[in-house]
Amino acid sequence: MSLTEVLDSTSAAPEISLTAQEILARARAVAPRLRERAEDMENERQLPHDVVELLRGTGVFRMALPKQWGGPELDAMQQTAVIEALAIGDASAAWCAMIGMDTPIYAGFLAENVARRLLADPDAVTAGAIMPMGRAERVPGGYRVTGQWHFGSGITHSSWVVGGVLVTRGGELEPGPAGAPGNWRIIMAPVEDFEVQDTWYTTGLAGSGSRDYSTQNLYVPEEYTFSFAEPRVTGAAATCDAVLRNMPGVPLGVARAAIDHVRQMAAMRIDRTTQTPWSESYRVQTAIARAEMDLAAARYAVYGSLREQWEILQAGEVPTRDEQVATALARVGAFRTARSVVAGLFDLAATAAVYRPSVLDRWLRDLNTMCQHVIAQDQVIQSAGAHLLGGVPHNAYSVGVLR
């Protein structure tokens, strides 16, 4: 299939029989279009409708749809590669794709009849935050939910919204499994059931539309709630950190785009002081090689740890603590390494990088913002260390542990 044919084929919803290779090819093909629309996304502070449809046409939102339901069911490595390809085009679009494709993963923790309702549209987009920022009072048949959540990435174009809650009974917190300080559940409801608040004024990932959202006294039936401790499916998709595995694709793709951009600059730029090609500068050569070295190490850590963990879980085996935390540490490393790589290239480009709409400026702002995400914080590193040493993780969920 030619590049033109690939691009044309993304103008409508994909046929359900798309393969992993076809989805990746479509993602690579639309990346230049996403780059062209990056300024529009920033200015609108959300993905424009045509960009959402462009993503939908790649098949990214159905990546995890099970094969038994007619989906492609990409594994974690394939999903990450697709997100990485989109991020080479634009970080906000890739971030929304990464979040929005979680619908089938969440469906794996719900009863099959409910899951089929969610996935009646195989390209259904889900947004929302799973950390328990709300309260769910038990009532007959379900819960009365009140909460205010942050960072609803892609909520401006979503069909479904999730929200993490702690369950209460008579106003008092219920104890969680194994004596945990709260019973953490996730609710799912149509986006129309929430008030979406225009709060997303940021320096980076501006186009992701990651707005706050809230609800008051919303009735949610029991069957539209779930716990990560009670999966319906088996294998790698049944773990609490299943929705985290493809996240590193975003920073890895942005760093790749930045290195490629500066390498192209080096081929055309003349050093003003020496009047020699930039590509012949020892300083430039060293900076490019160091960036490639650092990115390669981070990338291999991500894909290698994902592959090892995936094979273990799919075989029905239990990972060791070392195997369990390897993906979490590689994930943090990908975010931080990408930011370091792009910051170094930003410094290398010097004053040329500071003028908007400089792509290096945007990429550095995007990475600075995404590195503020809880999944890239020191608490994840502490949690990994605590888990390895038999201690108490500050953020157990981030290392695939429920406690």
Side-chain angles (χ1 to χ4, degrees), residues 147 173 177 249 277 285 301 307 323 337 352:
L173 281 179
Q285 293 166 348
R307 184 172 294 104
E323 291 163 344
T337 298

Side-chain angles (χ1 to χ4, degrees), residues 9 14 60-62 104 116 127 131 147 210 279 321 328 331:
S9 70
V60 65
F61 294 129
R62 64 176 62 184
R116 288 192 179 275
M131 291 295 101
S210 304
S279 59
R321 290 187 177 187
R331 189 180 305 126

Side-chain angles (χ1 to χ4, degrees), residues 163-240:
V165 297
L166 291 177
V167 178
T168 61
R169 190 188 295 268
E172 300 295 325
L173 281 179
E174 283 189 353
N183 185 2
W184 173 33
R185 294 188 72 79
I186 317 296
I187 64 159
M188 290 199 74
V191 66
E192 294 81 11
D193 287 342
F194 298 87
E195 178 188 352
V196 179
Q197 298 148 1
D198 189 8
T199 54
W200 193 241
Y201 293 86
T202 60
T203 59
L205 287 183
S208 67
S210 304
R211 300 179 179 183
D212 289 7
Y213 59 103
S214 64
T215 194
Q216 294 286 329
N217 201 35
L218 172 67
Y219 176 72
V220 180
E222 176 76 37
E223 61 266 29
Y224 281 84
T225 75
F226 65 91
S227 166
F228 282 124
E230 302 166 349
R232 173 179 53 82
V233 297
T234 59
T239 64
C240 67

Side-chain angles (χ1 to χ4, degrees), residues 236-309:
T239 64
C240 67
D241 57 343
V243 297
L244 305 181
R245 293 196 180 106
N246 60 24
M247 290 186 74
V250 184
L252 292 178
V254 174
R256 178 72 267 160
I259 295 174
D260 291 346
H261 175 74
V262 176
R263 286 177 63 171
Q264 291 172 359
M265 285 177 57
M268 299 180 292
R269 190 169 176 176
I270 301 296
D271 188 289
R272 293 180 181 178
T273 303
T274 64
Q275 293 301 302
T276 58
W278 221 42
S279 59
E280 296 179 7
S281 164
Y282 180 91
R283 178 176 66 92
V284 174
Q285 293 166 348
T286 302
I288 292 295
R290 181 176 289 116
E292 291 281 13
M293 176 179 66
D294 292 345
L295 179 59
R299 193 172 186 273
Y300 275 92
V302 166
Y303 283 95
S305 62
L306 282 175
R307 184 172 294 104
E308 184 175 87
Q309 185 194 70

Side-chain angles (χ1 to χ4, degrees), residues 43-203:
N43 290 338
E44 294 186 29
R45 295 179 297 107
Q46 64 183 66
L47 299 192
H49 176 73
D50 66 296
V51 172
V52 176
E53 292 309 304
L54 195 62
L55 291 175
R56 199 184 307 277
T58 67
V60 65
F61 294 129
R62 64 176 62 184
M63 289 198 296
L65 190 68
K67 288 181 179 177
Q68 64 181 1
W69 292 5
E73 197 173 345
L74 273 62
D75 62 33
M77 296 73 73
Q78 293 167 329
Q79 292 177 25
T80 304
V82 171
I83 299 302
E84 185 179 16
L86 293 172
I88 290 174
D90 181 74
S92 289
W95 190 268
C96 286
M98 176 267 295
I99 297 291
M101 58 74 56
D102 286 337
T103 313
I105 298 177
Y106 293 135
F109 292 85
L110 294 161
E112 183 170 339
N113 63 324
V114 177
R116 288 192 179 275
R117 287 176 218 152
L118 295 181
L119 298 171
D121 173 5
D123 298 304
V125 175
T126 296
I130 59 177
M131 291 295 101
M133 304 179 206
R135 292 289 187 270
E137 175 71 13
R138 281 195 186 273
V139 296
Y143 303 88
R144 286 288 175 182
V145 176
T146 296
Q148 169 86 27
W149 294 266
H150 309 297
F151 311 119
S153 300
I155 199 167
T156 56
H157 59 265
S158 68
S159 302
W160 295 94
V161 173
V162 294
V165 297
L166 291 177
V167 178
T168 61
R169 190 188 295 268
E172 300 295 325
L173 281 179
E174 283 189 353
N183 185 2
W184 173 33
R185 294 188 72 79
I186 317 296
I187 64 159
M188 290 199 74
V191 66
E192 294 81 11
D193 287 342
F194 298 87
E195 178 188 352
V196 179
Q197 298 148 1
D198 189 8
T199 54
W200 193 241
Y201 293 86
T202 60
T203 59

